[in-house]
């Protein structure tokens, strides 16, 4: 989902930090976007870096916005993913950002995953395909989360 966002981005003066090799590859086509790849252990499945080195790198940074892809969302549990290291990394990103945007299609709603990233009130915006349930929409309204 974050790679789709990167592929749709227009060329503008922007500083981007990513742990995703596919996002970095997409952004490399843009002349005005400065892209920094956060180091760590490379995961073959997601082609992203995670682990203690990645989390340590994020501790010294502050982000205006963070865009996160997630594996699932369950009411009362929040957003989650399938990797412990990835969840720790994404939780640190949420902590170090002024605004958090979760990119989530409707297939992720009600889908359990093992490791919690954050709860709904920790998020500012949820970007979706528009097929989310009325319960999720109401939960976003209750948590003052903008739904796009």
């Amino acid at each position: 989902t974050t790679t789709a966002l990167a592929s749709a981005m227009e060329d503008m003066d922007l500083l981007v930090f990513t742990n995703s090799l596919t996002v970095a590859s997409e952004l490399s086509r843009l002349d005005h976007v400065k892209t920094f790849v956060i180091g760590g252990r490379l995961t073959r499945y997601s082609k992203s870096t995670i682990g203690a080195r990645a989390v340590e790198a994020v501790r010294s940074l502050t982000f205006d916005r963070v865009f996160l892809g997630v594996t699932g969302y369950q009411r009362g549990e929040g957003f989650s993913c399938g990797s412990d290291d990835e969840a720790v990394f994404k939780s640190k990103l949420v902590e170090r950002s002024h605004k958090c945007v979760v990119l989530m299609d409707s297939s992720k709603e009600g889908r359990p995953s093992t490791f919690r990233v954050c709860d709904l009130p920790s998020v500012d915006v949820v970007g979706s395909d528009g097929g989310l349930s009325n319960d999720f929409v109401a939960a976003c309204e209750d948590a003052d989360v903008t739904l796009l």
Side-chain angles (χ1 to χ4, degrees), residues 16-137:
V16 175
F17 289 83
T18 185
N19 71 322
S20 168
L21 298 184
T22 58
V23 167
S25 181
E26 271 304 320
L27 295 176
S28 70
R29 70 182 165 73
L30 303 173
D31 293 324
H32 296 96
V33 175
K34 292 183 180 116
T35 304
F36 288 80
V37 179
I38 296 169
R41 181 176 49 83
L42 180 64
T43 61
R44 290 183 186 188
Y45 172 72
S46 65
K47 303 226 180 341
S48 60
T49 57
I50 57 173
R53 291 184 188 276
V55 172
E56 187 59 34
V58 168
R59 282 191 178 122
S60 65
L61 300 169
T62 303
F63 306 101
D64 291 330
R65 274 181 214 95
V66 64
F67 294 87
L68 298 179
V70 295
T71 304
Y73 171 83
Q74 284 192 293
R75 189 175 187 128
E77 298 296 322
F79 300 97
S80 58
C81 64
S83 162
D84 185 28
D85 284 339
E86 185 179 350
V88 170
F89 178 75
K90 288 181 177 185
S91 293
K92 183 56 72 175
L93 289 174
V94 172
E95 179 184 311
R96 301 296 303 157
S97 69
H98 294 290
K99 284 197 175 217
C100 177
V101 180
V102 168
L103 303 174
M104 178 184 104
D105 66 58
S106 56
S107 71
K108 310 291 173 92
E109 184 184 358
R111 183 176 177 185
S113 199
T114 309
F115 301 100
R116 186 173 179 278
V117 173
C118 65
D119 57 9
L120 185 60
S122 299
V123 170
D124 299 289
V125 177
V126 172
S128 182
D129 58 2
L132 296 167
S133 72
N134 291 335
D135 286 343
F136 186 83
V137 172

